[in-house]
mmCIF file of all heavy atoms in Angstrom:
data_model
loop_
_atom_site.group_PDB
_atom_site.id
_atom_site.type_symbol
_atom_site.label_atom_id
_atom_site.label_comp_id
_atom_site.label_asym_id
_atom_site.label_seq_id
_atom_site.Cartn_x
_atom_site.Cartn_y
_atom_site.Cartn_z
ATOM 1 N N GLU Z 65 80.666 73.506 57.733
ATOM 2 C CA GLU Z 65 79.725 73.498 58.850
ATOM 3 C C GLU Z 65 80.222 74.249 60.084
ATOM 4 O O GLU Z 65 79.496 75.089 60.630
ATOM 5 C CB GLU Z 65 79.336 72.064 59.218
ATOM 6 C CG GLU Z 65 78.254 72.005 60.282
ATOM 7 C CD GLU Z 65 77.776 70.588 60.565
ATOM 8 O OE1 GLU Z 65 78.181 69.653 59.833
ATOM 9 O OE2 GLU Z 65 77.005 70.414 61.513
ATOM 10 N N PRO Z 66 81.442 73.991 60.582
ATOM 11 C CA PRO Z 66 81.907 74.743 61.756
ATOM 12 C C PRO Z 66 81.981 76.247 61.495
ATOM 13 O O PRO Z 66 81.644 77.054 62.376
ATOM 14 C CB PRO Z 66 83.301 74.156 62.022
ATOM 15 C CG PRO Z 66 83.314 72.840 61.338
ATOM 16 C CD PRO Z 66 82.443 72.993 60.138
ATOM 17 N N ILE Z 67 82.424 76.618 60.294
ATOM 18 C CA ILE Z 67 82.531 78.040 59.961
ATOM 19 C C ILE Z 67 81.151 78.679 59.914
ATOM 20 O O ILE Z 67 80.930 79.767 60.454
ATOM 21 C CB ILE Z 67 83.269 78.218 58.622
ATOM 22 C CG1 ILE Z 67 84.709 77.729 58.746
ATOM 23 C CG2 ILE Z 67 83.233 79.684 58.182
ATOM 24 C CD1 ILE Z 67 85.469 77.697 57.438
ATOM 25 N N ASP Z 68 80.201 78.001 59.297
ATOM 26 C CA ASP Z 68 78.836 78.526 59.207
ATOM 27 C C ASP Z 68 78.215 78.665 60.589
ATOM 28 O O ASP Z 68 77.544 79.666 60.891
ATOM 29 C CB ASP Z 68 77.988 77.593 58.338
ATOM 30 C CG ASP Z 68 76.584 78.122 58.137
ATOM 31 O OD1 ASP Z 68 76.412 79.346 58.022
ATOM 32 O OD2 ASP Z 68 75.645 77.309 58.081
ATOM 33 N N LYS Z 69 78.420 77.678 61.449
ATOM 34 C CA LYS Z 69 77.859 77.727 62.805
ATOM 35 C C LYS Z 69 78.418 78.908 63.585
ATOM 36 O O LYS Z 69 77.677 79.605 64.286
ATOM 37 C CB LYS Z 69 78.140 76.415 63.528
ATOM 38 C CG LYS Z 69 77.326 75.239 63.016
ATOM 39 C CD LYS Z 69 77.864 73.900 63.504
ATOM 40 C CE LYS Z 69 77.775 73.753 65.011
ATOM 41 N NZ LYS Z 69 78.231 72.398 65.437
ATOM 42 N N CYS Z 70 79.716 79.160 63.451
ATOM 43 C CA CYS Z 70 80.343 80.270 64.169
ATOM 44 C C CYS Z 70 79.854 81.612 63.642
ATOM 45 O O CYS Z 70 79.465 82.496 64.408
ATOM 46 C CB CYS Z 70 81.866 80.162 64.052
ATOM 47 S SG CYS Z 70 82.757 81.426 64.991
ATOM 48 N N ILE Z 71 79.870 81.773 62.326
ATOM 49 C CA ILE Z 71 79.428 83.036 61.731
ATOM 50 C C ILE Z 71 77.955 83.288 62.027
ATOM 51 O O ILE Z 71 77.555 84.419 62.353
ATOM 52 C CB ILE Z 71 79.690 83.035 60.211
ATOM 53 C CG1 ILE Z 71 81.198 83.100 59.937
ATOM 54 C CG2 ILE Z 71 78.989 84.216 59.542
ATOM 55 C CD1 ILE Z 71 81.569 83.038 58.466
ATOM 56 N N SER Z 72 77.129 82.247 61.955
ATOM 57 C CA SER Z 72 75.698 82.404 62.222
ATOM 58 C C SER Z 72 75.446 82.853 63.658
ATOM 59 O O SER Z 72 74.571 83.694 63.913
ATOM 60 C CB SER Z 72 74.967 81.088 61.943
ATOM 61 O OG SER Z 72 75.032 80.746 60.577
ATOM 62 N N LYS Z 73 76.200 82.293 64.591
ATOM 63 C CA LYS Z 73 76.054 82.698 65.995
ATOM 64 C C LYS Z 73 76.409 84.176 66.167
ATOM 65 O O LYS Z 73 75.697 84.925 66.852
ATOM 66 C CB LYS Z 73 76.950 81.842 66.882
ATOM 67 C CG LYS Z 73 76.890 82.211 68.358
ATOM 68 C CD LYS Z 73 77.779 81.316 69.182
ATOM 69 C CE LYS Z 73 77.673 81.665 70.672
ATOM 70 N NZ LYS Z 73 78.150 83.041 70.956
ATOM 71 N N LEU Z 74 77.494 84.600 65.553
ATOM 72 C CA LEU Z 74 77.914 85.993 65.683
ATOM 73 C C LEU Z 74 76.908 86.932 65.024
ATOM 74 O O LEU Z 74 76.560 87.980 65.575
ATOM 75 C CB LEU Z 74 79.300 86.178 65.059
ATOM 76 C CG LEU Z 74 80.456 85.486 65.795
ATOM 77 C CD1 LEU Z 74 81.748 85.613 64.986
ATOM 78 C CD2 LEU Z 74 80.648 86.063 67.183
ATOM 79 N N LYS Z 75 76.402 86.555 63.859
ATOM 80 C CA LYS Z 75 75.445 87.401 63.145
ATOM 81 C C LYS Z 75 74.107 87.490 63.882
ATOM 82 O O LYS Z 75 73.373 88.478 63.726
ATOM 83 C CB LYS Z 75 75.225 86.872 61.725
ATOM 84 C CG LYS Z 75 76.419 87.085 60.800
ATOM 85 C CD LYS Z 75 76.199 86.462 59.440
ATOM 86 C CE LYS Z 75 75.094 87.148 58.673
ATOM 87 N NZ LYS Z 75 74.950 86.586 57.308
ATOM 88 N N ALA Z 76 73.800 86.489 64.684
ATOM 89 C CA ALA Z 76 72.568 86.530 65.474
ATOM 90 C C ALA Z 76 72.678 87.535 66.614
ATOM 91 O O ALA Z 76 71.667 87.997 67.144
ATOM 92 C CB ALA Z 76 72.256 85.138 66.028
ATOM 93 N N GLU Z 77 73.905 87.899 66.971
ATOM 94 C CA GLU Z 77 74.136 88.811 68.093
ATOM 95 C C GLU Z 77 74.283 90.258 67.665
ATOM 96 O O GLU Z 77 74.020 91.183 68.432
ATOM 97 C CB GLU Z 77 75.394 88.372 68.857
ATOM 98 C CG GLU Z 77 75.265 86.983 69.484
ATOM 99 C CD GLU Z 77 76.589 86.458 70.017
ATOM 100 O OE1 GLU Z 77 77.627 87.121 69.777
ATOM 101 O OE2 GLU Z 77 76.585 85.400 70.663
ATOM 102 N N ARG Z 78 74.710 90.494 66.403
ATOM 103 C CA ARG Z 78 74.917 91.864 65.917
ATOM 104 C C ARG Z 78 75.039 91.827 64.400
ATOM 105 O O ARG Z 78 75.243 90.769 63.818
ATOM 106 C CB ARG Z 78 76.178 92.483 66.537
ATOM 107 C CG ARG Z 78 77.475 91.856 66.087
ATOM 108 C CD ARG Z 78 78.640 92.251 66.951
ATOM 109 N NE ARG Z 78 78.401 91.891 68.332
ATOM 110 C CZ ARG Z 78 78.615 90.672 68.836
ATOM 111 N NH1 ARG Z 78 79.034 89.692 68.041
ATOM 112 N NH2 ARG Z 78 78.399 90.414 70.100
ATOM 113 N N SER Z 79 74.951 92.980 63.785
ATOM 114 C CA SER Z 79 75.145 93.072 62.335
ATOM 115 C C SER Z 79 76.606 93.388 62.050
ATOM 116 O O SER Z 79 77.290 94.028 62.865
ATOM 117 C CB SER Z 79 74.236 94.146 61.736
ATOM 118 O OG SER Z 79 74.528 95.419 62.292
ATOM 119 N N TYR Z 80 77.082 92.966 60.886
ATOM 120 C CA TYR Z 80 78.478 93.159 60.503
ATOM 121 C C TYR Z 80 78.575 93.916 59.187
ATOM 122 O O TYR Z 80 77.829 93.651 58.241
ATOM 123 C CB TYR Z 80 79.189 91.813 60.387
ATOM 124 C CG TYR Z 80 79.462 91.178 61.733
ATOM 125 C CD1 TYR Z 80 78.533 90.303 62.299
ATOM 126 C CD2 TYR Z 80 80.610 91.481 62.448
ATOM 127 C CE1 TYR Z 80 78.765 89.736 63.548
ATOM 128 C CE2 TYR Z 80 80.851 90.914 63.700
ATOM 129 C CZ TYR Z 80 79.928 90.050 64.243
ATOM 130 O OH TYR Z 80 80.160 89.507 65.477
ATOM 131 N N ASP Z 81 79.503 94.858 59.141
ATOM 132 C CA ASP Z 81 79.750 95.610 57.917
ATOM 133 C C ASP Z 81 80.432 94.740 56.869
ATOM 134 O O ASP Z 81 80.193 94.907 55.675
ATOM 135 C CB ASP Z 81 80.631 96.832 58.218
ATOM 136 C CG ASP Z 81 79.984 97.766 59.220
ATOM 137 O OD1 ASP Z 81 79.028 98.454 58.839
ATOM 138 O OD2 ASP Z 81 80.432 97.790 60.381
ATOM 139 N N ASP Z 82 81.300 93.845 57.312
ATOM 140 C CA ASP Z 82 82.009 92.948 56.404
ATOM 141 C C ASP Z 82 82.362 91.657 57.122
ATOM 142 O O ASP Z 82 82.649 91.657 58.331
ATOM 143 C CB ASP Z 82 83.304 93.580 55.877
ATOM 144 C CG ASP Z 82 83.146 94.201 54.496
ATOM 145 O OD1 ASP Z 82 82.476 93.578 53.651
ATOM 146 O OD2 ASP Z 82 83.685 95.293 54.272
ATOM 147 N N ILE Z 83 82.347 90.560 56.375
ATOM 148 C CA ILE Z 83 82.880 89.279 56.831
ATOM 149 C C ILE Z 83 84.016 88.960 55.870
ATOM 150 O O ILE Z 83 83.785 88.649 54.701
ATOM 151 C CB ILE Z 83 81.807 88.180 56.815
ATOM 152 C CG1 ILE Z 83 80.643 88.571 57.724
ATOM 153 C CG2 ILE Z 83 82.413 86.836 57.252
ATOM 154 C CD1 ILE Z 83 79.467 87.613 57.654
ATOM 155 N N ILE Z 84 85.230 89.070 56.355
ATOM 156 C CA ILE Z 84 86.413 89.059 55.494
ATOM 157 C C ILE Z 84 87.189 87.749 55.657
ATOM 158 O O ILE Z 84 87.534 87.343 56.765
ATOM 159 C CB ILE Z 84 87.334 90.247 55.832
ATOM 160 C CG1 ILE Z 84 86.582 91.568 55.618
ATOM 161 C CG2 ILE Z 84 88.602 90.206 54.985
ATOM 162 C CD1 ILE Z 84 87.331 92.784 56.120
ATOM 163 N N TYR Z 85 87.444 87.117 54.536
ATOM 164 C CA TYR Z 85 88.263 85.905 54.515
ATOM 165 C C TYR Z 85 89.682 86.288 54.130
ATOM 166 O O TYR Z 85 89.908 86.937 53.105
ATOM 167 C CB TYR Z 85 87.688 84.904 53.513
ATOM 168 C CG TYR Z 85 88.551 83.686 53.270
ATOM 169 C CD1 TYR Z 85 89.078 82.942 54.324
ATOM 170 C CD2 TYR Z 85 88.815 83.251 51.968
ATOM 171 C CE1 TYR Z 85 89.858 81.823 54.095
ATOM 172 C CE2 TYR Z 85 89.579 82.125 51.728
ATOM 173 C CZ TYR Z 85 90.102 81.409 52.795
ATOM 174 O OH TYR Z 85 90.876 80.295 52.572
ATOM 175 N N MET Z 86 90.665 85.922 54.984
ATOM 176 C CA MET Z 86 92.057 86.202 54.697
ATOM 177 C C MET Z 86 92.561 85.149 53.712
ATOM 178 O O MET Z 86 92.688 83.977 54.042
ATOM 179 C CB MET Z 86 92.892 86.163 55.985
ATOM 180 C CG MET Z 86 92.399 87.105 57.092
ATOM 181 S SD MET Z 86 92.120 88.803 56.532
ATOM 182 C CE MET Z 86 93.708 89.175 55.796
ATOM 183 N N SER Z 87 92.804 85.599 52.480
ATOM 184 C CA SER Z 87 93.124 84.666 51.399
ATOM 185 C C SER Z 87 94.265 85.202 50.554
ATOM 186 O O SER Z 87 94.304 86.393 50.248
ATOM 187 C CB SER Z 87 91.887 84.460 50.515
ATOM 188 O OG SER Z 87 92.216 83.803 49.318
ATOM 189 N N PRO Z 88 95.215 84.343 50.131
ATOM 190 C CA PRO Z 88 96.321 84.828 49.293
ATOM 191 C C PRO Z 88 95.869 85.337 47.940
ATOM 192 O O PRO Z 88 96.594 86.084 47.276
ATOM 193 C CB PRO Z 88 97.235 83.604 49.154
ATOM 194 C CG PRO Z 88 96.358 82.430 49.453
ATOM 195 C CD PRO Z 88 95.370 82.920 50.463
ATOM 196 N N ASP Z 89 94.656 84.968 47.499
ATOM 197 C CA ASP Z 89 94.186 85.470 46.214
ATOM 198 C C ASP Z 89 93.081 86.523 46.362
ATOM 199 O O ASP Z 89 92.349 86.805 45.413
ATOM 200 C CB ASP Z 89 93.720 84.334 45.301
ATOM 201 C CG ASP Z 89 92.660 83.446 45.938
ATOM 202 O OD1 ASP Z 89 92.310 83.680 47.106
ATOM 203 O OD2 ASP Z 89 92.186 82.527 45.260
ATOM 204 N N GLY Z 90 92.992 87.128 47.545
ATOM 205 C CA GLY Z 90 92.054 88.222 47.750
ATOM 206 C C GLY Z 90 92.624 89.532 47.237
ATOM 207 O O GLY Z 90 93.746 89.586 46.731
ATOM 208 N N GLU Z 91 91.854 90.615 47.383
ATOM 209 C CA GLU Z 91 92.355 91.925 46.970
ATOM 210 C C GLU Z 91 93.510 92.317 47.885
ATOM 211 O O GLU Z 91 93.515 92.049 49.088
ATOM 212 C CB GLU Z 91 91.251 92.982 47.017
ATOM 213 C CG GLU Z 91 90.604 93.166 48.378
ATOM 214 C CD GLU Z 91 89.466 94.162 48.330
ATOM 215 O OE1 GLU Z 91 89.593 95.214 47.670
ATOM 216 O OE2 GLU Z 91 88.433 93.907 48.981
ATOM 217 N N LEU Z 92 94.544 92.913 47.299
ATOM 218 C CA LEU Z 92 95.764 93.212 48.035
ATOM 219 C C LEU Z 92 95.538 94.367 49.002
ATOM 220 O O LEU Z 92 95.079 95.450 48.609
ATOM 221 C CB LEU Z 92 96.887 93.554 47.057
ATOM 222 C CG LEU Z 92 98.300 93.596 47.624
ATOM 223 C CD1 LEU Z 92 98.701 92.241 48.196
ATOM 224 C CD2 LEU Z 92 99.291 94.015 46.540
ATOM 225 N N LEU Z 93 95.855 94.140 50.260
ATOM 226 C CA LEU Z 93 95.682 95.166 51.284
ATOM 227 C C LEU Z 93 96.476 96.419 50.935
ATOM 228 O O LEU Z 93 97.633 96.347 50.545
ATOM 229 C CB LEU Z 93 96.148 94.637 52.644
ATOM 230 C CG LEU Z 93 95.990 95.588 53.828
ATOM 231 C CD1 LEU Z 93 94.525 95.869 54.129
ATOM 232 C CD2 LEU Z 93 96.696 95.011 55.064
ATOM 233 N N SER Z 94 95.831 97.569 51.064
ATOM 234 C CA SER Z 94 96.477 98.857 50.811
ATOM 235 C C SER Z 94 96.060 99.821 51.905
ATOM 236 O O SER Z 94 95.134 99.547 52.681
ATOM 237 C CB SER Z 94 96.043 99.414 49.447
ATOM 238 O OG SER Z 94 94.657 99.733 49.464
ATOM 239 N N GLN Z 95 96.731 100.965 51.964
ATOM 240 C CA GLN Z 95 96.357 101.959 52.952
ATOM 241 C C GLN Z 95 94.929 102.438 52.724
ATOM 242 O O GLN Z 95 94.183 102.699 53.669
ATOM 243 C CB GLN Z 95 97.316 103.147 52.915
ATOM 244 C CG GLN Z 95 97.143 104.111 54.082
ATOM 245 C CD GLN Z 95 97.381 103.443 55.418
ATOM 246 O OE1 GLN Z 95 98.391 102.773 55.619
ATOM 247 N NE2 GLN Z 95 96.444 103.586 56.341
#
Side-chain angles (χ1 to χ4, degrees):
E65 186 175 352
I67 295 173
D68 183 36
K69 288 166 64 176
C70 184
I71 290 177
S72 295
K73 179 179 182 297
L74 292 173
K75 289 176 67 176
E77 297 170 353
R78 68 194 58 83
S79 61
Y80 287 91
D81 300 287
D82 262 319
I83 301 174
I84 300 171
Y85 172 49
M86 304 310 306
S87 168
D89 55 358
E91 58 184 318
L92 193 61
L93 182 66
S94 66
Q95 190 60 50

